[in-house]
Amino acid sequence: MVDIRLDENWKLTQAATGDAPITADIECILQDIRLESLTQEGDLFYDREYGWSLYDYLQGDDSELIRTAIDTRIRKKLSRREYIDATSIKTQIKYTDNTFTVQVRFCFKGNDQGYSMTTSLDRIRVEVKQE
């Protein structure tokens, strides 16, 4: 897998030569997962199932039902990727000051190294950062 490298603000980066640098392999996959977490399902015309649709929960109040729905959606979306070990997917969801903070951890098949990212959902936006 290869893609154009984006910076932490999701903008194109530029190499010293003026070209757009690329990202590949695991770094590219992690960038794609972060992008999918910010995307609404159906927004990508060539893959209608792409997107976690976390915007659905922006105005949600904290409840076990909402936490379960977020957890289930993330697990379902990550499990679609054949290279992720579905049994390794772990989520931790916290709610403070009208903001859901979702930490997701997972491993790739055949690799014990864990990867994690944290997504925040407040009343107006979804933000993600990789750790």
Side-chain angles (χ1 to χ4, degrees), residues 1-12 23 27-41 43-44 46 50-55 78 81 117 119 126-130:
M1 184 173 213
V2 176
D3 201 354
I4 296 172
R5 181 186 316 270
L6 301 175
D7 68 14
E8 63 277 353
N9 297 314
W10 308 110
K11 307 285 186 217
L12 293 175
T23 182
E27 185 178 313
C28 182
I29 291 168
L30 294 173
Q31 176 176 288
D32 186 57
I33 291 169
R34 290 190 307 271
L35 285 171
E36 183 178 15
S37 74
L38 296 170
T39 304
Q40 284 295 97
E41 190 175 72
D43 282 354
L44 195 61
Y46 58 88
Y50 186 90
W52 290 8
S53 291
L54 294 178
Y55 288 90
L78 282 175
R81 297 170 179 266
M117 57 186 262
T119 304
V126 176
E127 296 181 329
V128 65
K129 66 179 178 177
Q130 180 186 348

Side-chain angles (χ1 to χ4, degrees), residues 44-73:
L44 195 61
F45 73 91
Y46 58 88
D47 184 353
R48 292 299 197 186
E49 293 184 20
Y50 186 90
W52 290 8
S53 291
L54 294 178
Y55 288 90
D56 295 350
Y57 304 105
L58 286 182
Q59 298 297 320
D61 292 322
D62 187 26
S63 71
E64 193 60 36
L65 182 63
I66 295 292
R67 288 176 184 235
T68 300
I70 292 170
D71 176 76
T72 301
R73 184 168 296 175

